[in-house]
Structure formats: structure tokens, C-alpha cells
Amino acid sequence: MQDRLDEVKAQVQAALQEAMAGLPPGELADAMRYACIGGKRIRAFLVMESARLFGIADEAALPVATAVEALHAYSLVHDDLPAMDNDDLRRGLPTCHVQWSEATAILAGDALQSLAFGLLTDARIGPAETRLALIDAFAGAVGARGMVWGQAQDIAAETAIEPLDLAAIKRMQQAKTGALIRFAASVGALMAGEDAGPLTEYARHLGLAFQIQDDILDLTGDEAEIGKRLNKDGTANKATFVSLLGLDGARDKARKLVRNAESALDPYGEAAENLRRLARFVIERDA
Amino acid sequence: MQDRLDEVKAQVQAALQEAMAGLPPGELADAMRYACIGGKRIRAFLVMESARLFGIADEAALPVATAVEALHAYSLVHDDLPAMDNDDLRRGLPTCHVQWSEATAILAGDALQSLAFGLLTDARIGPAETRLALIDAFAGAVGARGMVWGQAQDIAAETAIEPLDLAAIKRMQQAKTGALIRFAASVGALMAGEDAGPLTEYARHLGLAFQIQDDILDLTGDEAEIGKRLNKDGTANKATFVSLLGLDGARDKARKLVRNAESALDPYGEAAENLRRLARFVIERDA
């Protein structure tokens, strides 16, 4: 799996560079490229591996994986803004608004979202109807019913009198990080015109497990290795999976979710082994 | 023309409401709806009238007009942010971040951009290939080669040592406001698979004339009627068409541009009369 993840990383990095080649030179383009440096590329991996399950060539899936990572990069840039999570470190580098300015960070995020949608029109992806189905699902996943709604809930929770309970945190995370992860994992089925049910089920468990591991690492991880500020949630007195379940309870829950994620892939047999490995990797990672 | 503009306003307002019906209730959805209140709907009018030129039904063009206005609303919300133009009044109401919060304004803008792209997948627009061509052109117009690039230039000019010269202001405005106006005016030709040359030429002149009239109104207009703060450019010691050409020179230039815009529509004869009237309206308006 690690080899395939490295391969996807290299493919996506090259595709992002290509998509941004020929932008008018200046701070905006520089900030957009800066925002796309690094990252685990888990979402791109989900796109490429779910496509492979249905016999779809890397060449066809790559523009979609690239769009997903461009969109993810925009969401991180905006989430890090002073008016949002106010973070100064991301992927081991100063955040975009620290490196450039708030205005440039807002605009770079905005332009990365436009870029992401533009990438989904790429003819290499396949028939026009397929591309439109992807764009429609993508718009739903990242907008006011999905990712942005989740981020709004997360921000609102910081100033709320009562911390979120477990059900509310799950709902928030299933939107904030889950919606894009579910989209990424279901791309193969969407492109093949097949039932996305098992992949969506897999991604639902995977997304939560990923978030729980993030909460665990926020408490136990190494800042230099992870490349962002840690223990911010504790300082903000914010409810997390760890604050609600305890460290051991959170670890148990994450392991259970990973087993559920693996089982959801039963219909695909051995072909889904990389996706199962990813699920285990998600809770074993220390960065 | 005024009747048609009123009709388009009503159609777009209803379509925006419909597109945002069923959003999860809360501040995010409220702020998105708030950002879509009012406006002259000139861009929607351009879409609907350019479509009509090619015999395209209102029903097919309306989702495109709605997408253009949703995108425009997002751009105003982000442009008004404290880190950008820092405006507190827009369309006669407190700006989005004043009414809600900076975080909510950033997120509402983000979600309106996603919504705009989603609207362009509407099957009523026509064949899949047509919708993809529109999405591709739209992504180009509003992203890092178009609108967002223009806004970045505008922001950069505020802190630059030398004010922009006439050529640089034209280039900036042809991106910041011009790119979306050119897209809107060319929609009919794009949907009909015809040459968009004359409409793009028309929109190029129209967009500049519109901007010059904005600069004139910034100096001579009535704040209550226009619904936004005026004389900000003068205070910021920012180069504008008026500061570079003088008030009379700017008025002459705008009139000349409108004549050019009208002539560009010669190939369409009488059918383009509403678009010609719009061009004249753009420099006669006092709000």
C-alpha cells in the first residue's frame, strides 16, 4: 500500500503543478501552489483505489483525485484563517495567511475551489454524463449541505455554552471531513455507474476513525512530526472524541470503526486490500 | 428593457430561493440567503438576453443566470471582508460579516461558490456537453486567471508604492468584474454552439463602462441610494478611471465604450435591442 500511496502522491503533485502551470505569475499563484505542498494525499488514494476496483485507468481517475486534493487544500487554507481556527502551522510550514496575507489566503482558497471544479470537466475522466454526475456529487459534498456546513458547526461549537455531545460531534465530523472522504471513496462506483453503497459505508467508518485518530494525536502526538499545532482542542475546552470517550475508549472506538470499514469492502474481495490497509494505516499513523 | 429586467430579477430570486431550500437550517444558510438579497441582476439579465438571441428558452438559461448571481454574491461577501475591502454596507444592508461574523461570511461565500457550480449541472440547461462547456468557461472566468486574479491585483494596488496606470487598471478590471460579465454575455452563444465573438466584444466594452460609472458614482453618487460606502477610493488614494481621466474625461470614455458595445451587436440586428439598452442604462444609472 505504501508504494501505491507514494505513486499516487507523485501523480497528484505533478497533476496539480500542471493544472496551475500558466497561471498569471504573482502572489496569488504562488500562494495557491504553496497551499498544495505536502499532505498525506489520503483522499487522492481513495479516488485512485476506488476507481481501480472498477477497472478504471489511473489516467481517467487522476483529474478527479487532483480536484479532490485542490478542494481539500482550499478548505485547509480557509480553516486556518484567523477568523476561523487561527492556526499558524500546517503540514510543517507557516499557514498560508502567515506566509502571505489574510487577503491572499482567502483569494488563494477561493481560486483553488474554482480550479477543483474546472478539473472535473477534463475529458480524460470519461463520458460527459459521468463528469456531470461527479460535479453534482462534488458540489453537494463540499457545500452548504456537506463540508462547509460541518465547518460552520465546528466554529459555532467553540462559542456555544454547552459543548457538543457525541452524536453532535459525529454529525459535524461526518460533514466537515466525512463528506469529501465519502465522495472520494465513491468515485470509482460513480464513474462505473455502479452501486456506491459499500464504498460509502466504508468511507463513513473510515472518516470517523480518521478523525478519532486526529483527536488522539492532538493529545499524544509530536508537533514537529505532525506539522501543525497540537492540544489546541484541550486549550479551547472543546469537546472531542477523546474528551468524551477517554483515550482508551477513543482507541477502542477507532479500532471498531476500522473493522467495520474493512467488512464493508467484503463485496470486492481481495481487490479492495489496499483500501483495507489504508483503514488500518489511518489509526496506526503517528502523523 | 426595465420590464424584462424586473422579470429576470423575479425569476432569479425565485430560483435562488429554490436552490437554497432544504439547506440545513442555521446561520450558514441564513447568511447565504442574506448575501443573495437585492442587486441589480445585470449579470443575470446578460445571460437571459444573450440566450434569447439564439432562441434559447428562459427555462434553459435560468439555472445559468442563477449560478452567475450566486457566484457574484459570493465574490461580494468575500470582497467586503475586513482583510479585503473592509466594507460595512452593501446593497443598503450591513455586509455579511457585520451582520453575522467573519467566519460565517467566509463560509457563506465558500458555499455560494459550490452552489453556483452545482447549478450548472442542471439538466434543464441542455445536453451534457453544453453544460460541461459552460462549467469549464465559468471556472476559467471566476478563478485564478479571471475574477480572483483581478481582485488580487486590486488588493495589491492598495499597498503598492506606485498607483496603477490606465493600462493596469483596465487589465485589473477586465478580470475583476469583466471576466464574469463576459461569461454572462457569452452564455447564449456557448449554449447554441455559435461564435461568442460579438457578445464577448460587447461585454468587454460594457464591463469597462460599468466600472467607469461605478468610479463616477463613487465620487458623485448618493450613499443611501447606492447602498454602499462612497468615496472610499479617494480616501485610499487609489487610482481610478476618474482620478486618471478626470470626471469629464471618464464620462466621455464611458459614452464611447457604450457606443462600441452597441456596435458590437450589429450582427444580431433588432434582436439585441435589450442588450443595447442595458449598455446605455449602465452609464445613465445613478445607483
Side-chain angles (χ1 to χ4, degrees), chain B residues 209-233:
Chain B
F210 183 89
Q211 192 55 49
I212 291 175
Q213 184 67 10
D214 251 21
D215 287 356
I216 292 170
L217 289 174
D218 189 63
L219 207 71
T220 65
D222 179 62
E223 203 162 271
E225 209 169 327
I226 296 177
K228 64 180 180 185
R229 298 276 171 238
L230 299 182
N231 206 8
K232 282 198 66 183
D233 296 339

Short mmCIF file of all heavy atoms in Angstrom, two decimals, chain B residues 209-233:
data_model
loop_
_atom_site.label_atom_id
_atom_site.label_comp_id
_atom_site.label_asym_id
_atom_site.label_seq_id
_atom_site.Cartn_x
_atom_site.Cartn_y
_atom_site.Cartn_z
N ALA B 209 -17.29 50.18 -19.17
CA ALA B 209 -18.21 51.31 -18.99
C ALA B 209 -18.87 51.22 -17.62
O ALA B 209 -19.01 52.22 -16.91
CB ALA B 209 -19.26 51.30 -20.10
N PHE B 210 -19.27 50.02 -17.25
CA PHE B 210 -19.90 49.78 -15.95
C PHE B 210 -18.97 50.22 -14.83
O PHE B 210 -19.37 50.89 -13.87
CB PHE B 210 -20.23 48.29 -15.82
CG PHE B 210 -20.93 47.92 -14.55
CD1 PHE B 210 -22.32 47.97 -14.49
CD2 PHE B 210 -20.23 47.52 -13.44
CE1 PHE B 210 -22.98 47.64 -13.31
CE2 PHE B 210 -20.89 47.19 -12.26
CZ PHE B 210 -22.27 47.24 -12.21
N GLN B 211 -17.70 49.85 -14.95
CA GLN B 211 -16.73 50.15 -13.91
C GLN B 211 -16.46 51.65 -13.83
O GLN B 211 -16.34 52.22 -12.75
CB GLN B 211 -15.42 49.38 -14.18
CG GLN B 211 -14.47 49.40 -13.02
CD GLN B 211 -15.14 48.90 -11.75
OE1 GLN B 211 -15.78 47.84 -11.77
NE2 GLN B 211 -15.06 49.65 -10.67
N ILE B 212 -16.38 52.30 -15.00
CA ILE B 212 -16.16 53.75 -15.02
C ILE B 212 -17.33 54.46 -14.34
O ILE B 212 -17.14 55.37 -13.52
CB ILE B 212 -15.95 54.25 -16.47
CG1 ILE B 212 -14.62 53.72 -17.00
CG2 ILE B 212 -15.99 55.78 -16.52
CD1 ILE B 212 -14.35 54.04 -18.46
N GLN B 213 -18.56 54.01 -14.64
CA GLN B 213 -19.72 54.62 -14.00
C GLN B 213 -19.68 54.39 -12.48
O GLN B 213 -20.04 55.28 -11.70
CB GLN B 213 -21.02 54.06 -14.60
CG GLN B 213 -22.29 54.70 -14.07
CD GLN B 213 -22.43 56.17 -14.47
OE1 GLN B 213 -21.68 56.67 -15.30
NE2 GLN B 213 -23.38 56.87 -13.86
N ASP B 214 -19.21 53.22 -12.05
CA ASP B 214 -19.04 52.96 -10.62
C ASP B 214 -18.07 53.96 -10.01
O ASP B 214 -18.31 54.48 -8.92
CB ASP B 214 -18.50 51.53 -10.40
CG ASP B 214 -19.55 50.61 -9.79
OD1 ASP B 214 -20.76 50.92 -9.90
OD2 ASP B 214 -19.17 49.57 -9.21
N ASP B 215 -16.96 54.21 -10.70
CA ASP B 215 -15.97 55.18 -10.21
C ASP B 215 -16.58 56.58 -10.14
O ASP B 215 -16.31 57.34 -9.20
CB ASP B 215 -14.73 55.20 -11.13
CG ASP B 215 -13.87 53.95 -10.95
OD1 ASP B 215 -14.19 53.12 -10.07
OD2 ASP B 215 -12.88 53.81 -11.69
N ILE B 216 -17.39 56.93 -11.16
CA ILE B 216 -18.03 58.25 -11.17
C ILE B 216 -19.01 58.36 -9.99
O ILE B 216 -19.02 59.35 -9.26
CB ILE B 216 -18.76 58.48 -12.52
CG1 ILE B 216 -17.72 58.61 -13.65
CG2 ILE B 216 -19.66 59.72 -12.44
CD1 ILE B 216 -18.31 58.61 -15.05
N LEU B 217 -19.81 57.30 -9.79
CA LEU B 217 -20.79 57.33 -8.70
C LEU B 217 -20.11 57.33 -7.34
O LEU B 217 -20.64 57.87 -6.37
CB LEU B 217 -21.75 56.13 -8.82
CG LEU B 217 -22.73 56.20 -9.99
CD1 LEU B 217 -23.53 54.91 -10.10
CD2 LEU B 217 -23.68 57.39 -9.83
N ASP B 218 -18.93 56.73 -7.27
CA ASP B 218 -18.19 56.73 -6.01
C ASP B 218 -17.90 58.17 -5.58
O ASP B 218 -17.83 58.47 -4.38
CB ASP B 218 -16.87 55.95 -6.18
CG ASP B 218 -16.16 55.72 -4.85
OD1 ASP B 218 -16.76 55.02 -3.99
OD2 ASP B 218 -15.05 56.24 -4.67
N LEU B 219 -17.78 59.07 -6.57
CA LEU B 219 -17.45 60.47 -6.28
C LEU B 219 -18.70 61.34 -6.20
O LEU B 219 -18.78 62.28 -5.40
CB LEU B 219 -16.55 61.00 -7.41
CG LEU B 219 -15.62 62.14 -7.02
CD1 LEU B 219 -14.51 61.62 -6.12
CD2 LEU B 219 -15.04 62.78 -8.29
N THR B 220 -19.70 61.02 -7.04
CA THR B 220 -20.83 61.95 -7.21
C THR B 220 -22.15 61.38 -6.71
O THR B 220 -23.15 62.09 -6.68
CB THR B 220 -21.02 62.29 -8.70
OG1 THR B 220 -21.41 61.08 -9.39
CG2 THR B 220 -19.75 62.82 -9.32
N GLY B 221 -22.18 60.10 -6.35
CA GLY B 221 -23.45 59.44 -6.08
C GLY B 221 -23.96 59.67 -4.66
O GLY B 221 -23.30 60.27 -3.82
N ASP B 222 -25.14 59.13 -4.42
CA ASP B 222 -25.80 59.26 -3.13
C ASP B 222 -25.70 57.91 -2.38
O ASP B 222 -26.20 56.90 -2.86
CB ASP B 222 -27.27 59.64 -3.34
CG ASP B 222 -28.02 59.75 -2.03
OD1 ASP B 222 -27.64 60.60 -1.20
OD2 ASP B 222 -28.95 58.95 -1.82
N GLU B 223 -25.05 57.96 -1.22
CA GLU B 223 -24.76 56.72 -0.49
C GLU B 223 -26.03 55.94 -0.16
O GLU B 223 -26.07 54.71 -0.32
CB GLU B 223 -24.01 57.08 0.80
CG GLU B 223 -23.19 55.93 1.35
CD GLU B 223 -22.12 56.41 2.35
OE1 GLU B 223 -21.01 56.73 1.91
OE2 GLU B 223 -22.40 56.47 3.55
N ALA B 224 -27.08 56.65 0.27
CA ALA B 224 -28.33 55.97 0.66
C ALA B 224 -28.92 55.24 -0.54
O ALA B 224 -29.42 54.12 -0.43
CB ALA B 224 -29.32 56.98 1.22
N GLU B 225 -28.87 55.91 -1.71
CA GLU B 225 -29.47 55.32 -2.90
C GLU B 225 -28.64 54.14 -3.42
O GLU B 225 -29.18 53.13 -3.87
CB GLU B 225 -29.56 56.41 -3.98
CG GLU B 225 -30.70 56.20 -4.95
CD GLU B 225 -30.90 57.46 -5.81
OE1 GLU B 225 -30.67 58.58 -5.31
OE2 GLU B 225 -31.25 57.29 -6.98
N ILE B 226 -27.32 54.30 -3.37
CA ILE B 226 -26.44 53.26 -3.92
C ILE B 226 -26.29 52.09 -2.95
O ILE B 226 -26.09 50.95 -3.36
CB ILE B 226 -25.07 53.89 -4.28
CG1 ILE B 226 -25.29 54.91 -5.41
CG2 ILE B 226 -24.07 52.83 -4.71
CD1 ILE B 226 -24.04 55.66 -5.82
N GLY B 227 -26.40 52.38 -1.66
CA GLY B 227 -26.42 51.30 -0.68
C GLY B 227 -25.05 50.76 -0.32
O GLY B 227 -24.93 49.67 0.22
N LYS B 228 -23.99 51.50 -0.67
CA LYS B 228 -22.66 51.14 -0.16
C LYS B 228 -21.86 52.41 0.13
O LYS B 228 -22.24 53.50 -0.32
CB LYS B 228 -21.93 50.20 -1.12
CG LYS B 228 -21.61 50.79 -2.49
CD LYS B 228 -20.86 49.77 -3.37
CE LYS B 228 -20.54 50.37 -4.73
NZ LYS B 228 -19.93 49.42 -5.66
N ARG B 229 -20.80 52.28 0.89
CA ARG B 229 -19.99 53.44 1.23
C ARG B 229 -19.35 54.03 -0.03
O ARG B 229 -18.86 53.28 -0.88
CB ARG B 229 -18.88 53.06 2.21
CG ARG B 229 -19.38 52.55 3.53
CD ARG B 229 -19.72 53.67 4.51
NE ARG B 229 -20.40 53.08 5.67
CZ ARG B 229 -21.61 53.43 6.08
NH1 ARG B 229 -22.29 54.38 5.48
NH2 ARG B 229 -22.15 52.84 7.13
N LEU B 230 -19.33 55.35 -0.10
CA LEU B 230 -18.77 56.00 -1.28
C LEU B 230 -17.48 56.75 -0.93
O LEU B 230 -17.12 56.87 0.23
CB LEU B 230 -19.79 56.97 -1.88
CG LEU B 230 -21.09 56.30 -2.34
CD1 LEU B 230 -22.02 57.32 -2.96
CD2 LEU B 230 -20.80 55.19 -3.35
N ASN B 231 -16.84 57.22 -1.99
CA ASN B 231 -15.59 57.98 -1.87
C ASN B 231 -14.52 57.23 -1.08
O ASN B 231 -13.67 57.83 -0.44
CB ASN B 231 -15.84 59.36 -1.24
CG ASN B 231 -14.76 60.35 -1.68
OD1 ASN B 231 -13.95 60.04 -2.55
ND2 ASN B 231 -14.75 61.52 -1.09
N LYS B 232 -14.61 55.89 -1.09
CA LYS B 232 -13.58 55.11 -0.43
C LYS B 232 -12.27 55.16 -1.21
O LYS B 232 -11.19 55.16 -0.65
CB LYS B 232 -14.02 53.65 -0.28
CG LYS B 232 -15.00 53.44 0.85
CD LYS B 232 -15.05 51.96 1.23
CE LYS B 232 -13.75 51.50 1.83
NZ LYS B 232 -13.71 50.08 2.14
N ASP B 233 -12.41 55.17 -2.56
CA ASP B 233 -11.21 55.17 -3.40
C ASP B 233 -10.40 56.43 -3.18
O ASP B 233 -9.18 56.40 -3.09
CB ASP B 233 -11.60 55.04 -4.88
CG ASP B 233 -12.27 53.70 -5.16
OD1 ASP B 233 -12.07 52.77 -4.36
OD2 ASP B 233 -12.98 53.59 -6.16
#
